[in-house]
Amino acid sequence: MSDFDWQPYVSVAEKRRLAERELAKLRKRGRSVDPVTIDGRTIAKTFWGKSWCINLERYSDYASRVPRGRTYVRNGSVVDLKIARGEVTAMVAGSSLYSIKIAIAPVKAARWKAICRDCAGGIDSLVELLQGRLAKAIMDRVCREGDGLFPSPEEIKLSCSCPDWADMCKHVAAALYGVGARLDERPELLFVLRGVDENELLAGAGRDLLETRAAPGSAKLLGDSEVAALFGLEMDESAAFDTHVLPAAKPHRGSEISRADTAPVATRASAAKKGAPPLAARKGSGRKPTPAGTGKAGARRRS
């Protein structure tokens, strides 16, 4: 049956009765159905639902054909509508019950990355994104024709079990409008349909913040005086980072540790730099160590 054949007039009330009857049959068979219910005449009320419908109508391929499904979706003729990754399936009641399948290509990776990059820093929370409460520039980018999140006619493949020869019959059009109504209730389904993760819009913003931070190699190094001040130390600038520091020699048992052995490491290193002979050299210079118990200290002990 083509669009040019004469169709008997069916009142709105009769269309609704037909839809309710088909819905009851599906439920009686135990089939899980998710009908599209429209309150009043407005099909979509929220940002994402409206944007979906506007996107369909702005293409010349659909502008004159999509509106044929408005009456059907308003009358409850879309008795079942399911949205999955890259696919919309529906059951639409007409003179009979028709099966609709709408295949929608997933967003290409490069295109999705560009959207995330352009929106980075402009999306503070997932709630704001799903509710459409974002800056106009961000939403314009997401909805932009051609390279936004919404599909173009070239990315949509349509099929219906009705005898209408047109690719987009009124049943398919009703299902497409039904998607807009469903996005009012569950806007996250748009991201499911296009095969992308809405959380990546937020993750992209976090990555950009990390990339703007200074790289570790370019970090400012602390100077000697700053290191000393940081740890509350008094350091000799000439020996603060001297690596030529000899370990202290072990004293003989019972001998008195010389002052040279107990001098601070930094002081000994500074003395080494100024030309003073190393401690080991001084010990090997021919001077015999004072025996224990001799000298002034020993004399005091004996007395």
Side-chain angles (χ1 to χ4, degrees):
M1 183 182 297
S2 71
D3 287 347
F4 299 101
D5 293 334
W6 177 258
Q7 297 289 327
Y9 173 76
V10 180
S11 66
V12 171
E14 181 61 23
K15 289 179 181 178
R16 288 179 178 171
R17 280 194 294 269
L18 290 172
E20 290 171 358
R21 186 170 60 200
E22 295 296 341
L23 181 59
K25 289 180 181 178
L26 291 172
R27 286 174 172 166
K28 189 174 182 180
R29 296 174 194 162
R31 176 165 177 172
S32 175
V33 291
D34 195 0
V36 176
T37 304
I38 305 296
D39 295 327
R41 292 186 56 81
T42 304
I43 295 174
K45 301 179 179 67
T46 68
F47 170 82
W48 292 109
K50 289 179 180 178
S51 298
W52 172 269
C53 296
I54 291 172
N55 177 73
L56 293 173
E57 295 171 357
R58 70 183 172 188
Y59 290 103
S60 58
D61 306 54
Y62 294 164
S64 60
R65 298 155 63 189
V66 171
R68 295 185 299 169
R70 289 175 183 167
T71 302
Y72 270 68
V73 72
R74 286 181 183 132
N75 294 337
S77 296
V78 182
V79 297
D80 186 32
L81 180 74
K82 291 181 173 62
I83 298 175
R85 179 185 173 91
E87 184 180 79
V88 177
T89 55
M91 300 290 288
V92 179
S95 55
S96 183
L97 188 63
Y98 302 111
S99 300
I100 290 88
K101 183 176 180 179
I102 303 170
I104 298 180
V107 176
K108 293 182 179 179
R111 177 169 162 187
W112 175 240
K113 287 181 180 179
I115 294 174
C116 293
R117 183 178 62 249
D118 294 343
C119 294
I123 303 175
D124 295 328
S125 72
L126 191 58
V127 173
E128 286 185 345
L129 173 65
L130 296 181
Q131 292 183 353
R133 297 187 291 105
L134 298 173
K136 185 178 183 299
I138 297 295
M139 304 317 296
D140 286 347
R141 177 62 186 92
V142 173
C143 304
R144 194 160 69 190
E145 182 177 352
D147 63 346
L149 190 59
F150 293 97
S152 63
E154 293 78 16
E155 298 174 297
I156 303 176
K157 303 298 181 184
L158 312 170
S159 66
C160 180
S161 61
C162 77
D164 194 336
W165 58 268
D167 289 337
M168 182 180 286
C169 61
K170 50 186 172 287
H171 313 110
V172 168
L176 286 172
Y177 272 117
V179 173
R182 185 58 47 80
L183 293 181
D184 271 0
E185 305 167 359
R186 299 179 60 192
E188 68 276 7
L189 288 176
L190 174 62
F191 299 90
V192 173
L193 180 61
R194 299 313 314 272
V196 294
D197 183 0
E198 64 272 22
N199 288 287
E200 291 181 6
L201 288 172
L202 301 177
R207 284 195 299 267
D208 286 351
L209 289 176
L210 291 176
E211 290 171 0
T212 57
R213 294 179 180 176
S218 62
K220 179 181 180 295
L221 296 178
L222 293 176
D224 296 353
S225 60
E226 292 171 306
V227 172
L230 178 62
F231 294 100
L233 302 177
E234 293 182 5
M235 300 177 66
D236 186 335
E237 291 185 1
S238 63
F241 292 97
D242 188 7
T243 58
H244 302 287
V245 178
L246 296 175
K250 291 184 178 180
H252 295 288
R253 168 175 280 184
S255 65
E256 183 179 345
I257 300 174
S258 65
R259 292 181 180 180
D261 291 343
T262 58
V265 174
T267 305
R268 282 185 286 151
S270 178
K273 278 195 171 183
K274 293 177 181 178
L279 180 60
R282 291 203 302 275
K283 286 185 178 182
S285 61
R287 293 175 57 189
K288 295 181 179 181
T290 303
T294 63
K296 293 181 180 180
R300 285 196 297 272
R301 291 195 192 96
R302 287 196 299 272
S303 62

